Amino acid sequence: MTYHTLIFDLDGTLTDPLTGIMRCMNYALSYHDHQPKSEHEIKPYIGPPLELALKELSGTEDESHVRELVSTYRERYGELGYAENTVYDGIYKLLDLLQANHTRMGVCTSKFEKYAIKVLKEFKLDHYFEFVSGSSYGITKSEQLIDLINNKVVPQNSLMIGDRGIDLIAARTAGMSGAGVLWGYGNREELAAEQPRFLFETPELLGDTLLSL
């Protein structure tokens, strides 16, 4: 394979987190006297950092209040929300195939690391990955990837794989190649605008293409 390591996003790439995220978002909003939001309103915020999502959904500019919303969201997510995911069709088969071909894999997600690990363990995905990079408040995915490079966890000839434009922007900022996937929450227009090295419609196509390189 051309790439040293495949780095997967979590939400919208390995698992569909909609149910858990929607319930936790509305739990936090309602608890702090904001109007709950519809699925249609919440979907665009799956992928970007949580603090940005809750800031925009609540309409607040008060950073201390955003932190309160994030904290309340995580109370429910850590207890219930992490388990309200589903693994996308074809993901186990893809990861089995890559692992059988000795492909080195990791996860880079805007989610808190401890919650990302809980999700991976809950759905028996953790054993595929050599590392998990989670975010902290105010940390961008670009910064996460740069830290992975600087700490020699991965070299630049790795491939970031995700379903949103921010995944591809982060890869480019870090000097990596990016691959977009179309089974998550970013549409073709959003992903193509960032000029990814690859744009995959299915996990099967992703595996076949990368293993043929």
Side-chain angles (χ1 to χ4, degrees):
M1 185 179 289
T2 302
Y3 299 102
H4 181 279
T5 304
L6 301 184
I7 307 169
F8 287 86
D9 175 46
L10 179 56
D11 289 348
T13 302
L14 297 173
T15 66
D16 184 349
L18 177 60
T19 297
I21 286 178
M22 187 167 67
R23 290 174 179 174
C24 292
M25 288 277 192
N26 281 328
Y27 173 77
L29 291 169
S30 298
Y31 186 89
H32 292 281
D33 299 320
H34 296 286
Q35 282 293 110
K37 302 298 182 181
S38 67
E39 179 179 310
H40 175 75
E41 291 171 299
I42 288 175
K43 269 187 174 184
Y45 295 101
I46 296 179
L50 179 59
E51 60 269 21
L52 298 180
L54 284 167
K55 181 177 182 178
E56 293 195 14
L57 288 170
S58 66
T60 185
E61 294 294 330
D62 183 342
E63 286 299 321
S64 64
H65 185 53
V66 174
R67 286 181 179 270
E68 290 176 337
L69 288 164
V70 168
S71 178
T72 304
Y73 173 102
R74 287 183 172 140
E75 286 174 10
R76 188 188 185 282
Y77 192 87
E79 182 180 354
L80 299 169
Y82 77 94
E84 295 170 330
N85 278 252
T86 56
V87 180
Y88 285 110
D89 289 344
I91 291 297
Y92 288 116
K93 185 176 179 179
L94 166 66
L95 298 177
D96 283 338
L97 177 66
L98 293 171
Q99 190 174 68
N101 280 271
H102 309 291
T103 303
R104 185 172 188 264
M105 296 181 283
V107 170
C108 182
T109 173
S110 296
K111 193 182 297 299
F112 251 24
E113 187 170 304
K114 69 177 181 179
Y115 296 137
I117 291 170
K118 285 188 77 166
V119 171
L120 293 169
K121 288 184 175 179
E122 174 73 15
F123 295 96
K124 297 180 172 55
L125 293 166
D126 55 306
H127 66 95
Y128 294 107
F129 302 106
E130 293 197 20
F131 63 87
V132 178
S133 169
S135 184
S136 301
Y137 195 97
I139 301 298
T140 66
K141 186 164 283 190
S142 302
E143 292 171 312
Q144 290 176 250
L145 290 178
I146 290 168
D147 282 346
L148 289 174
I149 293 168
N150 289 343
N151 292 321
K152 301 189 186 307
V153 179
V154 300
Q156 278 187 307
N157 68 322
S158 298
L159 182 68
M160 178 69 216
I161 302 167
D163 69 308
R164 299 301 307 268
I166 59 167
D167 299 308
L168 303 177
I169 293 168
R172 186 169 63 249
T173 303
M176 290 180 180
S177 293
V181 302
L182 290 167
W183 55 84
Y185 287 89
N187 60 32
R188 186 179 294 274
E189 182 180 16
E190 174 187 336
L191 296 171
E194 304 305 332
Q195 300 181 316
R197 176 68 180 83
F198 305 98
L199 193 53
F200 298 117
E201 293 188 355
T202 65
E204 181 181 17
L205 183 59
L206 186 158
D208 289 346
T209 300
L210 295 183
L211 290 176
S212 71
L213 297 178

